Each structure stands twice: as structure tokens, then as C-alpha cells.
Amino acid sequence: MTQLSVFINNLLFASAPVHEPIAHSSAQAIMPDPTIHNPSLESYRSDFPILHQEANGGPLVYFDNAATTQKPRAVIDAIVRYYERDNANVHRGLHLLSSRATDAFEGARAKVARYLNAATSEEIIFTRGTTEALNLVANAWGNAYLKQGDVILLTEMEHHSNLVPWQQAAQRTGAVLRFIPLTPSGELDLSQLDKLLTPEVKLLSFTHISNFLGTINPAATLCARARAVGAISVVDAAQSAGHMPLDVQSIGCDFLAFSGHKMCAPTGIGALYGKATVLENTPPWQGGGEMILSVRYESSTYKPAPARFEAGTPNIAGAVGLGAAIDYLESIGRDALRAHDEALAIDAYQRIRALPGYRVVGPTGPRGGLVSFVHESVHPHDLTSYCDQKGLALRGGHHCNQPLMRKLGFPSTSRASFYLYNTAQEINRMIEILAEAHRFFS
Ligand code: C6P
């Protein structure tokens, strides 16, 4: 580890300050704070069939929601109903089932547009998820507009899905990558923006909420700064779309990507929002059925967005499931979701930090609904496996943030990530298990 990474590491990773009494050598002593989250969300827990099971002999505590969330009965039923009643291919068959399937698919697109406050449904492109959406921008927009000497501006906290596609775009086009550095507390160092946002910057792409640090980035400010130098902006909303209100018009982004499976919908479906004026001037990236107006042996013409970017048969049932997930989340309210998840994360952050042997990662203030942490002497994989033996599902690993982990000198961390069905009692259980793990491994 270099001296610099030791320095950043010491600051970025917060453990209990020495003057703070380490109050909790036994987790039984830690009482839940009843004001800490919105208890009204607990009634939604019964909507999730999978949660009502034991894991390794104890009640399942599912804290791996940043990887994927569980699915409520309403979403499962919507998918079953679609396959039992409406299944057909979309946009092409002149028969009853095909028009029902098309209505369901396009209805889901309208729901996504409403959910993000897009100006029109045509600004919503269905993809397999965030990764495919970001690859779409890097290929379709990137190949058309990036050239030798241009700058792609990213941040040091990007998930591999918002880094590797840009590395590949840079290799194809001769553009170069630049990174907004982090402050010692794990936030973007915005004081560097004047220096970094030169006229060569053609695109700024950043994560809205870091899946490793929990940092919430100031999306509207970053997009406005990009716009001021004539660059387009891309928001990776994988960790925010299911957790807080999102309004693409007030954020002012050109593109925004998210995954359905992190917000109650099935895997294999997500979306890319693209501002109409930008999509109009972006060529397709994949060719095939449905995206064309007319095809000759030598050449083709293409439909406008979104069809131009949706070659081949789409994930129709997935889109139906995403529409049902949106209805479900809207019935709860995204302000309530945000307050609930953040309160659980702040409670967990403070209480893990107070446990002997543990250090937590990222900002001390507002955060997304997740906490990464390490134990001073136990490898995160061993710790995560220990927790699994007690029925507590965490994620252990590099969380697809290898460059930042390497910079900080950490091979991996454990991570707890929360969603609407998680409770203060489950946080208590996690604290109890982590305290036991400390005693066990010590
Ligand atoms: N993060 C996690 O456990 P996909 O795989 O396409 O649905 O999402 C990719 C992705 C992009 N950006 C961010 C910020 C993400 O967190 C993720 C997915 C998972 O944190 C898997 S590594």
C-alpha cells in the first residue's frame, strides 16, 4: 500500500474515534431506535413470499438488495398472468394476443416514462439492464461522436459497468479517460471540476449512488456542469432508481440507465432514458428485426427511437414485470422508500462502526441504502460466510469496483444493503451476528 492510499484509507474508512466509548461488546445491549425508520413500510413485507423462509437454521435476513431485490407477489402474478393470457410477439402479429402483448409492452414503457418524468415514452429504450444501457450509449453515441483527443470524464467510484464500456470506446475512437477524484470522506471532489471539465470533455458519466461507498452524488449539479462545456451527461441510476424519486428533466441528464431487478422487477429487463434531441441524432448499435423502416440487400433505413435501439424480440414479460414493479413502488411512495432505506443504512453504519474490530466505509452523512465494512483481522469472505451460516445474506467481494478498492488497498469488503421490506429488528440481528463473529474469530 502506498503512503497516499494509507492516508486515504485512514480517512475514508471510519471506525469509532478513540475518545468514543466502545459501548457494545455484546449486541444484546443494543436497543433499536423506534424512530429510526418508517415502520409503516413493514406491512409490505408480507408481499414478498421468498422472505418467509429459514436460512441455515435461522430466519432469513436478506441484506443483498444492491445486488438484486426480492419480488413482490404483484410482480410475480403479473408475469404469470401475462404468460397465461396474453403471450405473443409484439408489434408484428395482426391478432388479438399480439395486440394485447403489444399494449402490455408499450404500457410498461409509458409507466417507465412516468416514473422518470421523461417528456415522452419515445425517450425510453428497453434494455437488459444498466450494463446493456451503458454499453448502448458507449457504442451508439460513442462511435458516432467521440474522436481522437476527446475526453470521457468519469469518477473514481464507478462500477465496472460504467468504466469498461468507456475504456472500450476510448480504444475504438482514440478518446482518453479522465476521472473526478474523491475526497477523504468518499465524496466526489467537486473542487477539481474546473480543472477537469475542459472543452475537450465530450461526455460525463457517473454513478448516482455508489454501490460500494453508498455516496449519493449531486446529479443535477454534475449534469449542469457538463452542459456548460457542451458535454453530454450519463447517469448510472442502478442504485437509485428503486430507492428515491428520480426526475430526468430536473436532473437535466442526456441519458440515464437502470436495472429492473434492483427495484422489484425481474432480471433481464431495464431501461435507458435518452433525451429526444440526443436520440434523434444517435445511430443504432445493433441491427435486426423491428428496428428498420426498409431493408434492401445492400442497405437499410431505420425507425426513430426507441425502436431503432431495440433490435429483435424484446423481453416482453420482463417489461410487464417492470411495469408492475413501478405500480407497486409508486403505491408505497418513493419519498417513503428513500427515508426508510437511508434510515436503516445510517443506523447500520453507526452501529457497525461502534462495534469493536469493525470499520465502515464511505461518507458519514446522507447515504444510499447500503453499508460496506471490514473487520480488522477477518477476511471479508470469511466474515460474509460466517454471517451466511447464521441466515444473514450479505455480499462479500470487490463489488465491481476494483480500481477504487485497489487504490484504497482493500481486496474486498462485506456489504449490507437494504430495501423496503427490511426492518430495524433485522439490523439488530446483523449487529448481534457481527459481534459474535468478532468474538468467534478473535
Ligand atoms: N451492482 C451490486 O451488487 P446490472 O448488472 O446491469 O443490473 O447493473 C450493473 C451496475 C451498474 N452500476 C451500479 C452502480 C451497480 O451497482 C450495478 C450492479 C451489483 O452492487 C452487482 S456488481
Side-chain angles (χ1 to χ4, degrees), residues 64-68 128-134 157-162 207-212 236-240 258-262 269 370 395 398-401 415 417:
D64 195 17
N65 295 288
T68 198
R128 283 194 291 131
T130 308
T131 303
E132 190 176 60
L134 293 169
M157 63 169 89
E158 294 314 315
H159 185 280
H160 298 166
S161 293
N162 197 29
T207 186
H208 195 187
I209 297 183
S210 161
N211 70 318
F212 162 43
D236 171 354
Q239 296 297 345
S240 60
F258 74 90
S259 301
H261 71 95
K262 295 185 196 292
I269 188 74
L370 62 96
R395 183 169 178 197
H398 53 64
H399 313 299
C400 299
N401 275 252
R415 185 189 68 188
S417 52

